[in-house]
Amino acid sequence: MSTSSETVSTSSGSAPSASPGTAVAAPPVSGTRLTLTGASLGRPGAPALDGVDLDIAPGEILTVVGPSGCGKSTLLRTLAGLLSPLAGDITEDGHPLTGPSADRALVFQEDALLPWRTLRANVELPLAIRGVPRAERREQAEAWLERVGLGTQARQLPHRVSGGQRQRVQLARALAGRPRAVLMDEPFGALDAQTRAGMQDLLVDVLRGTGATVVFVTHDVDEALFLGDRVALLGAGGIVAVRDVPRPRDRGAHDAPARLALRRDVLTSLGT
C-alpha cells in the first residue's frame, strides 16, 4: 500500500529529502480502515452527501476531488470525528467512529500553528498530549523537523518562516504523534506551483514507511492523480465514482496514456 516502504520516482527537486541518519527511529504504525456505509453527512435537514458507501483500506492514500461545496471538507471532518453522521454507519477498524482521536490527525490548508510556540514546541504538542517525556519528545520533534528540512530553524517562531515552511511544520507535527490516519484538507492549496510540487514530493517522502492511512482532499486533479492510490470523485449529493490510479506517486507517469485517460475521465465526470 501507499505508505509502506515502496520506491517511487519524484523529480521536482523542490522538496528537501531526508538526510541519511535523520529518519525518525520508530516502527511503522498499522494504518486504520475507515468505512462509511449508507452514510448521510452534513447539517440536519441539509445533507451535503447522502448514501455514501466508501471503504478506505489500511495504509491507502485516497485522494478526494470535486467542485466547491460538494461536501469534501464535510467528509473529512466526519472521518476526523468532528461531525456526526446524520444517518448510516461510520467505522474505524470495524468499530463505530464516535469522536476525535489522537489516532486520526487533521491537517488544514491554514497552518494552524500556535504563534507563541517555537517550531519545535509546535511539533512536540501531540507528543506531550500522549504523555511522552520531555527529553524524548524534544528529540523526536527535532528529528521530524530535520526530516522536513527545517532542522536548523527549530527555535524560530512561526511568523519568522515562510508559508511553505509552516506547512512543513504542520506536516511534521501531524506525523510526530504517529497517527494511524492522516486527514488532509487542501493543505497545499495556498502555495505557489513550485512550492506545491515540492510539498507533494516531501509528503510522499515522509509518509513512506509510516503505515498511516491518508485521505487527501484537493481541488487539483493532477495533484489527486499524483498522490492517490485511488481517487474519489464527489458530485452533487454523493460519490460519483472511485477510480484506481495507475502508477501513483511517479512523476514519470504524468503523460502516460493510462494516466491521461484517467485524467480525462475525471475532468469529464466533474464537468470541467
Side-chain angles (χ1 to χ4, degrees), residues 159-223:
H159 76 275
R160 303 290 294 181
V161 300
S162 70
Q165 289 171 324
R166 289 194 296 273
Q167 283 300 88
R168 292 189 222 166
V169 178
Q170 183 173 219
L171 179 59
R173 182 176 65 181
L175 294 175
R178 303 184 66 235
R180 299 182 61 214
V182 183
L183 311 171
M184 311 187 76
D185 194 0
E186 299 192 63
F188 310 147
L191 303 178
D192 63 80
Q194 182 176 3
T195 303
R196 185 175 189 140
M199 286 298 301
Q200 293 165 4
D201 290 341
L202 177 62
L203 176 64
V204 170
D205 181 60
V206 298
L207 282 174
R208 192 180 300 126
T210 66
T213 304
V214 179
V215 182
F216 188 105
V217 165
T218 179
H219 274 96
D220 189 319
V221 171
D222 289 322
E223 181 171 68

Side-chain angles (χ1 to χ4, degrees), residues 81-202:
L82 299 176
L83 297 174
S84 298
L86 303 175
D89 298 314
I90 303 179
T91 62
E92 181 178 31
D93 294 330
H95 303 288
L97 192 157
T98 57
S101 166
D103 281 337
R104 281 173 269 118
L106 187 58
V107 180
F108 298 98
Q109 180 173 332
E110 300 81 13
D111 59 62
L113 299 179
L114 300 179
W116 59 89
R117 295 176 71 103
T118 65
L119 304 189
R120 183 181 65 201
N122 268 283
V123 177
E124 285 183 30
L125 189 58
L127 300 171
I129 292 172
R130 286 181 177 267
V132 176
R134 182 187 300 271
E136 184 179 345
R137 68 178 184 248
R138 174 168 294 189
E139 180 181 1
Q140 290 186 32
E142 289 177 347
W144 273 109
L145 285 171
E146 188 71 33
R147 192 165 182 181
V148 300
L150 293 172
T152 62
Q153 304 205 53
R155 297 185 179 182
Q156 293 281 9
L157 291 172
H159 76 275
R160 303 290 294 181
V161 300
S162 70
Q165 289 171 324
R166 289 194 296 273
Q167 283 300 88
R168 292 189 222 166
V169 178
Q170 183 173 219
L171 179 59
R173 182 176 65 181
L175 294 175
R178 303 184 66 235
R180 299 182 61 214
V182 183
L183 311 171
M184 311 187 76
D185 194 0
E186 299 192 63
F188 310 147
L191 303 178
D192 63 80
Q194 182 176 3
T195 303
R196 185 175 189 140
M199 286 298 301
Q200 293 165 4
D201 290 341
L202 177 62

